[in-house]
């Protein structure tokens, strides 16, 4: 089982829609989580960190549920420019002290 | 402030050739990593470093070497290229407690 799992999609939504992505993680020692965005043939870019209390950045809301070991990303009022692949990322300390990436969820916002 | 700079952007190698992918960051970040990204596989960690002179293996280290003689530079060396190493390679760096900043990637084809 992969340490971080995401629904690969694709999610095709109309402009203005609200869309939610979920991500589950298996390592209960994971301490921090992030959402990254990756455009086609580009590098991943940090979208936002995920805090236990939930956090919002404009149209984007991230939630963490440690009891159920899942992370979510909600995008409201989708824009065409939101079309990308969204990567869920977990971080755990220990010998690796590195980030573990999910395979990504592909979103296409349609006009 | 250039961030993370990777060279070259594209490379074609013949099986058995060796080469070095260059990575440099100007943000004084302690942590640096090399990832490869293949379709459907997500980002997989090759090698990482937690500071100058300290490196360790990631998930898929075979066929690759790294060194970290300075904080700024973290080159990845392919010892004897194989077609299975055809991939997109990303170098990334981060400060403690923050998410990674990625370079723009190197697209490597081994024929």
């Amino acid at each position: 089982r992969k340490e971080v799992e995401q629904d690969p999609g694709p999610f095709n939504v109309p402009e203005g829609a609200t869309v939610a992505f979920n991500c589950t993680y298996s390592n209960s020692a994971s301490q921090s989580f992030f959402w990254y965005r990756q455009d086609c043939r580009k590098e991943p870019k940090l979208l936002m960190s995920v805090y236990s209390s939930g956090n919002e950045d404009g149209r984007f809301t991230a939630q963490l549920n440690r009891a159920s070991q899942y992370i979510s990303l909600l995008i409201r009022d989708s824009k065409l420019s939101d079309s990308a692949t969204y990567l869920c990322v977990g971080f755990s300390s220990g010998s690796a002290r590195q980030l573990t990436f999910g395979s990504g969820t592909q979103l296409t916002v349609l006009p | 402030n250039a961030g993370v700079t990777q060279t070259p952007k594209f490379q074609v190698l013949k099986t058995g050739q060796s080469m070095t992918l260059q990575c440099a960051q100007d943000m004084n970040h302690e942590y640096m990593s090399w990832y490869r990204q293949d379709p459907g596989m997500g980002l997989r960690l090759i090698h990482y470093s937690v500071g100058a002179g300290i490196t360790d293996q990631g998930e898929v280290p075979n066929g690759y070497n790294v060194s970290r003689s300075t904080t700024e530079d973290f080159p990845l060396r392919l010892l004897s290229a194989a077609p299975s190493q055809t991939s997109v390679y990303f170098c990334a760096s981060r400060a403690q407690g923050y998410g990674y900043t990625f370079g723009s990637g190197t697209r490597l084809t081994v024929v």
Side-chain angles (χ1 to χ4, degrees):
Chain A
R1 182 184 174 188
K2 292 189 70 175
E3 198 165 312
V4 177
E5 296 206 54
Q6 297 181 247
D7 181 345
F11 284 65
N12 298 317
V13 302
E15 204 172 359
T18 296
V19 61
F21 307 136
N22 289 328
C23 166
T24 58
Y25 63 95
S26 59
N27 184 355
S28 59
S30 295
Q31 299 172 319
S32 307
F33 299 91
F34 306 89
W35 282 101
Y36 276 74
R37 171 198 169 120
Q38 186 172 24
D39 294 291
C40 187
R41 301 179 70 82
K42 298 287 190 180
E43 73 273 22
K45 292 186 178 178
L46 180 63
L47 180 65
M48 60 195 302
S49 302
V50 185
Y51 303 121
S52 296
S53 56
N55 48 301
E56 191 172 302
D57 183 1
R59 298 180 294 107
F60 298 84
T61 300
Q63 296 275 356
L64 167 61
N65 185 320
R66 289 196 182 273
S68 301
Q69 295 187 199
Y70 79 82
I71 306 107
S72 64
L73 177 68
L74 182 77
I75 305 176
R76 292 181 299 277
D77 189 22
S78 300
K79 311 292 185 190
L80 298 177
S81 57
D82 293 333
S83 297
T85 297
Y86 291 83
L87 305 171
C88 174
V89 184
F91 170 79
S92 57
S93 64
S95 60
R97 290 189 287 177
Q98 289 300 306
L99 303 180
T100 302
F101 286 79
S103 298
T105 298
Q106 185 180 342
L107 170 68
T108 301
V109 180
L110 304 169
Chain B
N1 188 338
V4 179
T5 303
Q6 284 184 242
T7 56
K9 292 190 182 303
F10 301 93
Q11 183 70 50
V12 179
L13 289 178
K14 293 182 179 179
T15 297
Q17 286 185 315
S18 64
M19 79 159 294
T20 300
L21 307 186
Q22 301 292 342
C23 176
Q25 54 96 5
D26 60 0
M27 298 173 283
N28 202 33
H29 285 170
E30 299 172 61
Y31 301 94
M32 296 187 75
S33 295
W34 276 101
Y35 290 87
R36 59 177 290 175
Q37 188 173 36
D38 303 291
M41 301 289 287
L43 284 153
R44 292 184 292 169
L45 181 65
I46 304 171
H47 284 285
Y48 67 98
S49 170
V50 299
I54 306 170
T55 63
D56 207 345
Q57 297 180 350
E59 181 184 355
V60 288
N62 292 340
Y64 308 94
N65 274 352
V66 291
S67 60
R68 184 96 181 269
S69 56
T70 66
T71 300
E72 294 78 19
D73 299 300
F74 191 43
L76 177 72
R77 183 166 179 81
L78 277 70
L79 307 173
S80 177
S84 61
Q85 294 179 304
T86 294
S87 187
V88 181
Y89 292 84
F90 289 105
C91 177
S93 74
R94 69 179 181 92
Q96 189 170 10
Y98 292 87
Y100 269 116
T101 297
F102 283 82
S104 58
T106 296
R107 295 185 177 277
L108 176 68
T109 301
V110 182
V111 297

